């Protein structure tokens, strides 16, 4: 069974993806600064505590990997709201360069609704109030992240979830690739993980940017 590297694996969508990938029978390598805190015990899980911005750590984590799932996140505190971040673009540059060097082709990256060409499709309240006040500075860096991925030459899928919620996977969600169908919505983190794991072996969405919502 294939080996999957999950970057940003210790919480949120990343942690749910670790669980979903193991449940699907994959071998999983989980990279995160707090990887040792992952409360999952499985012989097929390897935990690597390290920084996604460190090229040597990322190159080591890619050894023998068949696919990579990038699920990085930042806390939306005052720092992010006022000054933004460069985590997504810098970590993705490191990851893409390391994947190219290692010959690992398949990259699934989670960004968000409002990144790239999905900006401006959220409706009046989201586009005029929520996005510019809460999300814009962080999502400016997600825009750069997506550009790096698009130009990478890898077999990429950029996954843009709607507003994330808790709870178990429902299987009741939509993956929308037509911009005319994009709108705000919610989705459980576990359902995002379900979609990501399904794409490890499915080529249907390569080169596409599906929006995931209920």
């Amino acid at each position: 069974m294939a080996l999957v590297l999950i970057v940003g694996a210790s919480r949120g969508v990343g942690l749910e993806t670790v669980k979903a990938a193991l449940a699907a029978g994959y071998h999983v390598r989980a990279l995160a600064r707090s990887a040792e805190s992952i409360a999952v015990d499985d012989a097929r899980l390897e935990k690597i505590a390290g920084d996604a911005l460190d090229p040597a750590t990322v190159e080591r984590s890619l050894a023998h990997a068949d696919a990579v799932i990038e699920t990085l996140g930042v806390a939306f505190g005052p720092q992010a709201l006022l000054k933004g971040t460069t985590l997504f673009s810098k970590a993705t540059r490191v990851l893409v360069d390391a994947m190219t060097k290692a010959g690992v082709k398949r990259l699934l990256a989670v960004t968000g609704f409002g990144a790239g060409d999905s900006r401006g499709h959220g409706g009046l309240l989201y586009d005029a109030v929520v996005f510019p006040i809460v999300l814009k500075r962080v999502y400016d860096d997600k825009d750069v992240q997506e550009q790096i991925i698009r130009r990478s030459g890898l077999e990429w899928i950029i996954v843009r979830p709607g507003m994330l919620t808790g709870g178990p996977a429902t299987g009741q969600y939509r993956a929308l690739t037509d911009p005319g169908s994009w709108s705000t919505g919610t989705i459980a983190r576990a359902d995002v993980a379900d979609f990501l794991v399904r794409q490890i072996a499915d080529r249907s969405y390569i080169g596409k940017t599906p929006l995931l919502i209920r």
Side-chain angles (χ1 to χ4, degrees):
M1 183 57 76
L3 170 62
V4 182
L5 170 62
I6 301 175
V7 181
S10 62
R11 59 176 62 87
V13 170
L15 179 56
E16 293 297 334
T17 305
V18 168
K19 297 174 182 177
L22 290 170
Y26 289 102
H27 294 272
V28 176
R29 184 174 291 143
L31 171 61
R33 287 187 177 184
S34 55
E36 294 170 355
S37 70
I38 297 173
V40 177
D41 185 17
D42 192 296
R44 290 171 294 121
L45 174 62
E46 178 185 359
K47 304 172 187 179
I48 297 182
D51 190 344
L53 294 172
D54 178 52
T57 297
V58 175
E59 288 180 14
R60 184 171 68 253
S61 300
L62 279 167
H64 308 297
D66 298 288
V68 179
I69 301 177
E70 184 184 38
T71 62
L72 295 170
V74 295
F76 279 93
Q79 178 75 14
L81 291 175
L82 296 174
K83 296 185 178 181
T85 184
T86 58
L87 171 66
F88 301 108
S89 59
K90 288 182 176 180
T92 299
R93 180 76 273 163
V94 169
L95 178 60
V96 165
D97 288 348
M99 290 180 67
T100 301
K101 182 178 179 180
V104 180
K105 287 291 188 181
R106 183 67 63 88
L107 173 60
L108 314 175
V110 178
T111 59
F113 185 46
D117 60 358
S118 68
R119 187 174 297 198
H121 288 270
L124 181 60
L125 178 62
Y126 184 83
D127 293 336
V129 180
V130 176
F131 189 87
I133 293 175
V134 179
L135 301 175
K136 182 183 183 302
R137 289 175 179 82
V138 169
Y139 272 59
D140 284 345
D141 193 51
K142 288 179 181 281
D143 289 349
V144 180
Q145 176 190 21
E146 289 198 358
Q147 291 168 10
I148 292 169
I149 294 169
R150 286 177 179 273
R151 297 168 182 167
S152 66
L154 300 173
E155 296 178 352
W156 57 264
I157 304 172
I158 294 172
V159 179
R160 297 166 172 165
M163 185 178 297
L164 295 168
T165 65
T170 67
Q172 303 298 313
Y173 59 86
R174 295 170 289 160
L176 306 175
T177 57
D178 178 6
S181 66
W182 290 345
S183 63
T184 54
T186 63
I187 184 167
R189 293 177 181 85
D191 277 330
V192 178
D194 175 77
F195 179 80
L196 290 168
V197 171
R198 291 177 184 274
Q199 304 323 304
I200 295 170
D202 189 337
R203 301 182 62 86
S204 302
Y205 290 91
I206 289 178
K208 297 182 180 180
T209 58
L211 164 67
L212 300 186
I213 54 175
R214 288 288 302 273

